[in-house]
Amino acid sequence: MSAPPRVYATRAIVLRARNLGEADKIITLFSDARGKLDAVAKGVRRAHSPLAGRLEFAAEASLTMHRGRNLDVITSADLVQRSFASLARPQTFATAGLFAELVDAFCEPDLPLPDVYALLAGGLRVLAATDDPATLVPRFELRLLDALGLAPPSGACVRCNLAFEADLAWADLDAGGLACAACRPHVADPLALLPDDLVAFRALGAARGGGRAASLRATPAAARAADAFVAYHLGRRPRARGLIDELGA
């Protein structure tokens, strides 16, 4: 079996970065070819570096990479899309931070996930164009769970597989889906879904592509349920979620 090429190209989105030495950075990327990986951007903190300004948070770039012994090295970067102007808005920046945090937390290194890459790239494009970024969060959360194989079933009760009576359902986190009244676990009312909430929850989870799907809005209850499922699978509440709530208060 031949060794992989030392030099390769990939498209990637910057999730986060940390300083290394006097002028370098370690960039955590989500790439289309390899999924999540850390790579070194040498000299990027110098004013005249050819990489400067091309590896900022949430930027998408076409990269040339050189395989290293421990970390790969970014040798060139050409911007595909960046949202510097829109990210200057606090709520937009916080929402982009949530998208990146969730992808970073859920995805293992060196595991290609093309559906997740497409979701993140598309989400950031839509985010840059909207005046109400927080409304995109529930759809992104449910689509991400779907791409990871963790989507909560919503067509019937996850416990008894019967239809929801009067279209009333409850988010059953332990069972990984929605429960009917008869199987309802002892949960708080904020996780109850009335008929309009259930319609919104199903539509957000099933939406794919752009167009009308990009404009779908969650009801407050559907948004709470999406947040709850994400926090359950993540094992904690995302840090950026608190900042979004604070900015929207």
Side-chain angles (χ1 to χ4, degrees):
M1 182 176 179
S2 62
R6 296 295 301 273
V7 177
Y8 66 96
T10 188
R11 183 174 288 198
I13 298 168
V14 177
L15 300 180
R16 54 187 169 91
R18 58 192 186 275
N19 291 341
L20 176 67
E22 295 184 358
D24 305 341
K25 282 186 177 183
I26 296 177
I27 312 290
T28 298
L29 303 164
F30 195 78
S31 70
D32 61 351
R34 291 181 51 194
K36 189 173 73 170
L37 71 151
D38 285 341
V40 176
K42 293 186 175 181
V44 70
R45 290 155 58 198
R46 295 194 179 102
H48 299 293
S49 167
L51 299 177
R54 301 182 184 185
L55 295 171
E56 300 296 330
F57 168 66
E60 183 181 15
S62 292
L63 307 177
T64 302
M65 310 278 285
H66 186 277
R67 294 185 190 272
R69 179 172 298 178
N70 296 313
L71 292 173
D72 292 357
V73 178
I74 302 169
T75 58
S76 71
D78 294 312
L79 279 171
V80 175
Q81 69 165 338
R82 62 178 176 179
S83 308
F84 294 163
S86 64
L87 289 180
R89 302 193 299 266
Q91 197 170 60
T92 301
F93 184 85
T95 305
L98 178 63
F99 290 0
E101 180 183 351
L102 293 178
V103 170
D104 192 6
F106 274 115
C107 298
E108 297 293 331
D110 290 314
L111 178 63
L113 293 168
D115 287 348
V116 174
Y117 186 88
L119 174 64
L120 179 59
L124 291 171
R125 282 194 293 269
V126 175
L127 182 60
T130 185
D131 294 325
D132 196 0
T135 61
L136 302 178
V137 171
R139 177 175 175 256
F140 184 88
E141 290 176 329
L142 291 174
R143 289 286 311 281
L144 179 60
L145 292 180
D146 180 47
L148 295 170
L150 299 171
S154 60
C157 175
V158 72
R159 292 185 179 269
C160 69
N161 204 34
L162 296 179
F164 299 112
E165 185 177 352
D167 284 337
L168 299 176
W170 285 263
D172 186 344
L173 305 182
D174 290 332
L178 303 184
C180 67
C183 300
R184 179 189 177 190
H186 297 290
V187 297
D189 285 343
L191 294 181
L193 299 175
L194 298 177
D196 287 348
D197 305 320
L198 184 56
V199 169
F201 189 87
R202 286 170 170 164
L204 290 160
R208 295 186 180 276
R212 179 181 173 274
S215 64
L216 288 172
R217 288 175 177 263
T219 63
R224 285 193 297 269
D227 283 345
F229 279 113
V230 164
Y232 179 82
H233 287 294
L234 192 60
R236 59 175 174 81
R237 191 168 189 253
R239 290 183 294 273
R241 178 75 254 189
L243 180 57
I244 292 172
D245 292 344
E246 181 181 333
L247 292 169

